Amino acid sequence: MIEKKTTFFSEGSRLQATIYYPDDLSEAGPHPALIVNSGYQGFNNFYPKLFAENLTQRGYICLGFDYRGMADSEGPKGTVLIEQQVEDIRNAITFMQAQDDVDNSRIGLIGWGMGATNVVLAGEKAKNVAGVAALNGFYDGERWLKSIHTYDEWTKILDEVREDRTRRVLEGESKLADTFEHYPLDPATKDYVGKELEQVYGFGHPTRLQFTESIIDTKVERAVKYLSPTPLFIAHGENNTLHPFEEAASLYEAAESPKTLYTVKGRHNDFMYGDHPEFLTMCDRLQEFFDQAFATSAAPTRITSA
C-alpha cells in the first residue's frame, strides 16, 4: 500500500488526511475510491488505515482523515459534534471528487462505530456517493444512550445536558469531561481499547458535554429513508453490547431498498485485527457490495455537488 499524506479544508479547518493507493494501481483510470471514517475517539491512523490495508489490495483507492479537533487536524480540541463530523465527511467527498485519478461516479463511504451514524447522514445529504456501508453503529442516539444506562443514570445525564446548555449560553463554553463520561465502554470494548487504541496519538482527550446533546439529537432512521436509491450495507456484531444489534435491525427496517444486513460473529471490535477471519470475511462482503454498487451507479443521473 502506498500512502500519500495530504490535507483538505472543512468549514475553514485544515484536516490531516492520507490517500492510500494500491501497490499495483494501473495507470488507466479513473479508479473507484472509498472514504473510510472512524468512530468516536478514533483516528485515521487506526481504523481507516486498517481497512485501507485490506481494501487497497482489492483495487480501491482509500481516503482516511482525522475529524476536526482530532490528532493534528485543526479545530477546537474536545469538541465532538456529530453534525460537524458529517460536514467533514461531505467535504472529504468533495476533496476526492477533485482528484484526477478518482472516478466521481464510483465513490463509496464506510463508517465504523459512530462513523456509521455519520456516513448515513452524509450520504443522504450529499446524494453523490455510489454506496454507503455502516458498520457497528447506533442510529437513534437517545434510544441507544437510554439502553445502556439505568433510569437514575439517564435522569442524571439529562440534568447535566440541561445544565451544560445553560453554561454555554451564559458562559460561552461547554464543560470538558472524561472521554467516556456519558459513552461508557462495555468490558470487552474497554479491554480492546486499552490494548489497541490508548496507544494511538491523540486518543483519550477530554470531550465537552455538548457531545451528549449531539448524540441525543441524532435520529439517523428519520434520514435513512431518503438515502435510497443509494444502496446501504449494514454490518453489525451479533453480540455487540456497546451498540446493541437492535440498532442495526432497526436501521435496516427503516431503510428503503436497496439494502443489506450482514451479521458479524463477534462483539463490537474483538474481531478488528487485520488477520482475523471475521474481519477478512467482512471485507469480502464489503467488496461484493461496493463492486455491485459501483457497477450500477449511473453518473449522468446523479447529483454531482456535495
Side-chain angles (χ1 to χ4, degrees):
M1 180 174 73
I2 300 169
E3 302 182 29
K4 176 186 175 183
K5 300 294 184 182
T6 187
T7 62
F8 65 92
F9 288 93
S10 183
E11 310 310 313
S13 294
R14 185 190 295 271
L15 305 189
Q16 300 296 317
T18 306
I19 301 178
Y20 301 98
Y21 292 96
D23 286 323
D24 56 353
L25 187 69
S26 66
E27 292 185 5
H31 304 280
L34 299 172
I35 301 172
V36 188
N37 301 275
S38 186
Y40 174 53
Q41 282 292 305
F43 300 87
N44 170 37
N45 199 39
F46 202 76
Y47 284 146
K49 185 175 182 178
L50 177 65
F51 277 104
E53 287 172 343
N54 185 286
L55 295 171
T56 53
Q57 296 178 35
R58 301 165 188 259
Y60 304 114
I61 295 173
C62 294
L63 174 74
F65 68 94
D66 295 316
Y67 295 117
R68 258 178 277 181
M70 295 292 186
D72 290 327
S73 284
E74 293 179 351
K77 300 297 181 185
T79 297
V80 179
L81 300 175
I82 290 173
E83 51 270 34
Q84 287 187 355
Q85 294 188 348
V86 170
E87 289 178 337
D88 293 346
I89 294 170
R90 292 188 64 188
N91 291 323
I93 297 169
T94 302
F95 173 71
M96 289 303 278
Q97 287 179 318
Q99 306 308 304
D100 291 338
D101 49 8
V102 170
D103 185 344
N104 286 354
S105 70
R106 293 187 293 164
I107 296 176
L109 300 179
I110 297 175
W112 173 266
M114 199 174 85
T117 299
N118 297 341
V119 295
V120 176
L121 295 173
E124 184 274 322
K125 289 179 179 294
K127 307 292 187 186
N128 60 347
V129 292
V132 174
L135 317 177
N136 266 344
F138 62 83
Y139 306 107
D140 183 302
E142 182 175 11
R143 178 185 64 209
W144 166 65
L145 275 183
K146 288 176 71 174
S147 76
I148 61 170
H149 289 94
T150 66
Y151 176 81
D152 287 343
E153 289 170 342
W154 176 244
T155 301
K156 183 173 182 289
I157 286 172
L158 292 181
D159 288 341
E160 290 175 344
V161 167
R162 283 191 289 266
E163 291 170 4
D164 191 67
R165 171 166 281 275
T166 301
R167 181 184 298 107
R168 298 201 309 272
V169 171
L170 298 183
E171 302 176 16
E173 192 171 64
S174 177
K175 179 183 177 181
L176 276 172
D178 179 79
T179 308
F180 299 104
E181 179 77 12
H182 293 158
Y183 202 132
L185 300 179
D186 62 287
T189 304
K190 187 173 183 179
D191 181 65
Y192 178 92
V193 166
K195 291 177 179 177
E196 303 295 334
L197 289 177
E198 287 183 357
Q199 288 72 41
V200 176
Y201 170 68
F203 183 88
H205 193 283
T207 302
R208 298 195 182 278
L209 289 183
Q210 189 178 3
F211 172 51
T212 305
E213 185 172 322
S214 179
I215 291 177
I216 292 171
D217 288 344
T218 297
K219 309 292 182 185
V220 181
E221 290 171 11
R222 295 180 183 175
V224 71
K225 67 180 68 176
Y226 302 109
L227 179 65
S228 179
T230 301
L232 173 65
F233 177 88
I234 307 165
H236 212 94
E238 61 184 357
N239 297 316
N240 192 333
T241 49
L242 179 65
H243 300 157
F245 186 83
E246 288 74 18
E247 288 295 315
S250 186
L251 181 69
Y252 181 78
E253 181 66 25
E256 302 288 341
S257 294
K259 57 184 179 179
T260 301
L261 177 59
Y262 172 67
T263 301
V264 179
K265 295 179 181 178
R267 301 175 70 89
H268 184 64
N269 46 20
D270 58 339
F271 58 90
M272 288 299 290
Y273 297 93
D275 59 353
H276 195 289
E278 287 299 323
F279 176 75
L280 295 173
T281 300
M282 183 172 66
C283 288
D284 288 341
R285 301 292 85 77
L286 285 169
Q287 180 180 3
E288 292 169 0
F289 169 75
F290 281 112
D291 282 353
Q292 178 63 37
F294 292 156
T296 58
S297 60
T301 64
R302 301 179 75 85
I303 298 173
T304 56
S305 63

